[in-house]
Each structure stands twice: as structure tokens, then as C-alpha cells.
Amino acid sequence: MKAHVYVTLKKTVLDPQGQAIHNALKKMQYQGIEDVRQGKYFELRLDDTLDAASARAEVDRIAREVLTNPVIEEYTFELE
Amino acid sequence: MKFGVLVFPGSNCDHDTYHVIAELAHQPVTFLWHDSPSLENCDAILVPGGFAYGDYLRTGAIARFSPVMQSVKKFAADGGLVLGICNGFQILCEAGLLPGALMRNAGLKYICKQVWLRTETADSPFTNLLTPGETLKVPIGHMEGNYFCDESTLATLRRDERIAFRYATPEGEITREANPNGSLDNIAGILNEGRNVLGMMPHPDRSSEALLGSADGFRIFQSLTGALAARS
């Protein structure tokens, strides 16, 4: 099983990197982009000791306690 | 009176900080390796600048789980004096010893230059020799020094006068131009609720001798040694 964890800055936090990317895209004349937010992606490969529910709980705990700083970041994840 | 300087893989201001305590403040000081929980009966803990654990994941994110930091948390909870400089400030925020977070500089560049700080409070063991409004010339050297916290935290910091230093002009004016990295409210350093933990992005360790361009930072270490002497 694999977990895909996505970490982004909270909506309320300014994202200067996302803005710089957005400005670059505009300068390069890419069309139709309203906003860019950038973040981090983690791929966790899980062994078979956990069932799906336990794996979900463990990945949630890892994402919350380690992969994100709750002051500025939020996360989503999916299991595959 | 004994000082402990934490050393993580990637710390690079540990020797600068040690030098200030040993050679300028003339106090006993020892290095404390991250992998050992022992604080060796130190009376104050200095968390130096650098790139602990390579800044991997986030600055300070991995350092906060190290054995020595578990002891530093207990030490701080018992009222022990802890000073975090630059990466040390980032680690203290990640560890929850100070509120808020240090984000990528607003201009997205690493900044290394002299800045001016305005002292906001003299009511702490780190600033008791300073006068509110007094300016200090202290250098910064960081990529992630953009202080951020939510509105209620900022209101609390202001109300309790826990903002220790703000980026200012040499005359002590708080302006947008004097803010090098986009920090909220020009914040350069803050105190915890008990006022026994200070975190600051600028480097007093690099401004403790006139030879380095400024000795203003040494007054913070003098305040600290004075406070420790008064405690013993």
C-alpha cells in the first residue's frame, strides 16, 4: 500500500513562491491561470502489517505530527 | 554558572556562540550533543544558528524530536533560560516552546546583512540591560526568517509585551523598508509566556565584538549572565 500526502500552506498564509510561479506563468503567456499555490508531496510506502483503517490513522498521525507545521500548513492524503 | 550550547548535525554557529561565552563573557560553557538527553547541569541553554539536520522537511522540524530537545522542553518548563538564535529560533518554534513559525523570506532570497533592531521590552533576562526604544546593530543571515503567527497570537504577544525586538531604522522607526524578510509586525524576536525563552533571527553571536562591525549583540549575553548571577 502507498500513501500520497500533500502539504500546502494554509489559505490564510501568503505564498510568495506560488505568487512568483504565477507571475512567471503570466509572463510566459500561459492562459487561464487564476492562482498558484505550491507545496510538498510525500510518498510513503507501507508494509503489510496494518489494515486499511489502521494505515489511514497512522498516516494521518504522521502527516499531522511530523510532515506539517500546523501554524502555517495543512495536508490531505490518499491511500492506494 | 554554566552555559550549554546545543550541537545538531548541521549547526554552524555553535563555535561562535561558545566563543562569545568562553572568551568574551568569561563563563564556563560546554557543547551538548543532540543525541544525548543530558543537559549536564547547565544553567542556561543556547540553541545556535545553522542548518540542523540539513533543514530537511522544514527548518527545525527534525531537530525538535532529538533527545536533547526533550530535555530542553522540561528545562524551559521549569523556568530554565533558553536563547535560540536564527536556526535556534526556528527549532524553538517547531518544538512549541515559542508560538508561530518562520517562513521563507518574502523576497524568496537568502539575506545576509547588518540590520537594526529596536528593543521592545527590558522585562526579560535577555534584555534587562537594554532600554525600550534602544536600537542595536545586529546581522541576519537566513532564508526562512519571515515570522508568522495568527491574529490572536499576535494580539497576545503585543498585550503581554512578549515581542523583544523589531526590525527598525537606525533611529528606531518601525518601517516597511526596515523589515528585511516580511516578518509580521517587523518581529525579529519573541519571548515565551514565562519570559525565560527568547528566540531571535538576528545574530548577537556575530555582533559581540567591535572587530565584527558591532558589539551591540553582546549586551544580550551580558543581560543573560547578569540574570543568571542574580538567580544563584
Side-chain angles (χ1 to χ4, degrees):
Chain A
M1 204 163 22
K2 268 187 190 170
H4 307 275
V5 185
Y6 305 89
V7 176
T8 52
L9 289 171
K10 284 180 176 174
K11 300 283 179 288
T12 50
V13 174
L14 193 67
D15 178 4
Q17 288 185 84
Q19 282 181 345
I21 296 164
H22 188 204
N23 288 338
L25 293 179
K26 279 199 288 195
K27 272 187 201 142
M28 288 186 276
Q29 298 181 332
Y30 285 99
Q31 301 296 308
I33 308 298
E34 189 172 289
D35 191 25
V36 178
R37 307 281 292 174
Q38 56 81 46
K40 293 178 197 163
Y41 167 68
F42 301 87
E43 194 176 280
L44 280 60
R45 204 146 55 81
L46 311 178
D47 61 23
D48 297 328
T49 51
L50 299 176
D51 61 31
S54 312
R56 180 162 289 280
E58 195 66 353
V59 170
D60 187 62
R61 209 158 67 89
I62 292 167
R64 187 176 65 249
E65 294 178 358
V66 183
L67 301 183
T68 44
N69 179 337
V71 178
I72 48 173
E73 294 170 325
E74 57 194 11
Y75 64 91
T76 58
F77 69 89
E78 56 210 33
L79 295 180
E80 173 199 315
Chain B
M1 182 189 312
K2 184 170 142 195
F3 287 80
V5 176
L6 303 193
V7 183
F8 298 95
S11 295
N12 66 9
C13 296
D14 41 351
H15 285 267
D16 306 53
T17 309
Y18 185 102
H19 166 80
V20 170
I21 300 300
E23 306 299 332
L24 305 176
H26 305 293
Q27 298 297 330
V29 53
T30 186
F31 287 122
L32 299 170
W33 184 236
H34 70 111
D35 219 11
S36 163
S38 172
L39 299 185
E40 298 180 17
N41 296 317
C42 285
D43 302 294
I45 297 298
L46 306 170
V47 194
F51 301 84
Y53 295 90
D55 277 355
Y56 293 159
L57 186 58
R58 296 180 307 276
T59 56
I62 299 176
R64 79 175 166 111
F65 293 110
S66 61
V68 78
M69 281 307 295
Q70 310 320 308
S71 304
V72 170
K73 280 188 205 174
K74 284 195 206 98
F75 177 78
D78 292 339
L81 300 183
V82 181
L83 169 60
I85 300 166
C86 196
N87 189 221
F89 184 14
Q90 295 163 340
I91 293 168
L92 295 178
C93 284
E94 280 281 344
L97 288 174
L98 291 168
L102 282 314
M103 299 180 49
R104 181 72 62 94
N105 294 340
L108 301 175
K109 284 184 181 160
Y110 184 96
I111 310 169
C112 183
K113 66 173 188 178
Q114 294 277 13
V115 298
W116 288 87
L117 307 179
R118 189 174 82 182
T119 308
E120 298 295 303
T121 178
D123 179 18
S124 85
F126 313 93
T127 57
N128 57 51
L129 293 180
L130 305 172
T131 311
E134 183 179 347
T135 54
L136 306 177
K137 187 180 173 190
V138 181
I140 54 168
H142 61 242
M143 183 74 167
E144 284 94 1
N146 180 354
Y147 183 78
F148 178 85
C149 63
D150 60 34
E151 276 180 32
S152 71
T153 304
L154 179 62
T156 306
L157 291 176
R158 283 178 177 156
R159 186 196 63 207
D160 298 343
E161 299 186 0
R162 283 166 51 193
I163 300 170
F165 299 107
R166 292 169 79 199
Y167 299 109
T169 65
E171 296 75 34
E173 267 185 276
I174 304 296
T175 65
R176 184 185 284 260
E177 292 70 34
N179 186 344
N181 53 27
S183 285
L184 188 68
D185 208 29
N186 284 43
I187 288 174
I190 55 168
L191 295 156
N192 70 336
E193 199 174 355
R195 310 184 89 77
N196 58 309
V197 179
L198 169 69
M200 60 189 295
M201 286 312 297
H203 280 274
D205 50 321
R206 294 184 192 170
S207 51
S208 282
E209 291 165 279
L211 185 65
L212 298 179
S214 170
D216 290 358
F218 191 53
R219 313 221 12 236
I220 294 168
F221 292 105
Q222 285 177 308
S223 296
L224 182 53
T225 48
L228 277 175
R231 279 182 169 203
S232 56

